[in-house]
Amino acid sequence: MKKTGIFYGSSTGNTESVAKSIAEKLKAESYNVDKNPIDEIQQCQNLVLGTSTWGLGDLQDDWEAFLPALVKTDLTGKTIALFGLGDSSSYPDTFVNGMGTIYEALKDKGCTIVGRINPDEYDFDDSSANVDGKFVGLPLDEDNEYDQTGKRVEKWLEQISSEFI
C-alpha cells in the first residue's frame, strides 16, 4: 500500500479522536492541520481528510486557514477520502457541510475522491456534502449517533481500502 496520511482539524476533540482511530486501523500517521502539514501531504499518495462543521455550515477553524494552502498544492494522482462530523439534529440543513466545502475545493485538482456514502441511514434535511445523491465521504454525528460511529468507520474503511493501493 502506498503511503497514507490522515489530516484533520478538531476544535472539541471528536474529529481528532476519529482521525486517530482511522490512522490506527490503516497503520498511518495522523496530522493536525493547525500545524500546516503541507510537506507531509506531498509525501503521501493516499489522504484521508477530516473536519467538523460549525455554526450554520461553517468549516472548522483550522481548515479555514489550511485549505487555501492545500488547494495550491499539487494533488495530481492522489487518492483522497473525506470524513466529516456534524450535528444532524440541531443543524439538519447544514449537516457535514464542512466536508462538502473541502470536496468543492479539491474535486477539480487532479485527485480521485473515494468513499462516497449512501445517505439513506442518516436523518438530515440538507447538506452540501450530499452530491448527486451520495455523501462525498463518511458523515458522522458524534452528538446524536455516537453509538454508530465505530461500525460506520469500519464499513467505510473496508470500502476505501481497496482504493488505497
Side-chain angles (χ1 to χ4, degrees):
M1 184 188 299
K2 296 179 181 169
K3 185 170 180 182
T4 299
I6 317 305
F7 299 85
Y8 66 91
S10 188
S11 297
T12 65
N14 286 343
T15 307
E16 178 179 17
S17 176
V18 172
K20 290 184 182 279
S21 172
I22 290 170
E24 183 180 315
K25 291 175 188 337
L26 291 179
K27 296 178 177 39
E29 292 293 320
S30 64
Y31 306 91
N32 192 327
V33 299
D34 74 344
K35 308 276 190 255
N36 195 25
I38 288 295
D39 291 342
E40 287 81 5
I41 292 245
Q42 292 171 336
Q43 295 173 22
C44 294
Q45 181 62 32
N46 302 316
L47 309 174
V48 178
L49 309 178
T51 187
S52 52
T53 300
W54 286 91
L56 299 176
D58 297 328
L59 190 60
Q60 192 269 343
D61 291 346
D62 298 328
W63 275 104
E64 288 282 354
F66 183 68
L67 191 56
L70 181 58
V71 167
K72 292 178 186 172
T73 304
D74 182 11
L75 299 175
T76 305
K78 294 191 184 292
T79 302
I80 298 176
L82 306 172
F83 72 94
L85 278 70
D87 181 337
S88 62
S89 179
S90 298
Y91 301 99
D93 295 333
T94 58
F95 181 55
V96 297
N97 274 13
M99 182 170 61
T101 301
I102 294 174
Y103 171 80
E104 283 299 318
L106 302 182
K107 69 178 184 177
D108 297 323
K109 299 290 299 169
C111 54
T112 301
I113 299 177
V114 299
R116 294 176 69 93
I117 296 289
N118 188 319
D120 291 348
E121 293 182 21
Y122 296 85
D123 185 20
F124 70 103
D125 294 332
D126 196 20
S127 175
S128 67
N130 187 359
V131 176
D132 297 328
K134 292 215 175 195
F135 281 113
V136 296
L138 175 65
L140 299 169
D141 185 343
E142 284 290 277
D143 296 313
N144 305 292
E145 299 176 347
Y146 58 87
D147 59 322
Q148 297 184 50
T149 296
K151 73 174 185 163
R152 285 176 171 167
V153 168
E154 288 289 336
K155 186 175 176 184
W156 183 68
L157 289 177
E158 287 175 22
Q159 177 185 339
I160 67 170
S161 290
S162 64
E163 306 279 352
F164 281 4
I165 297 173

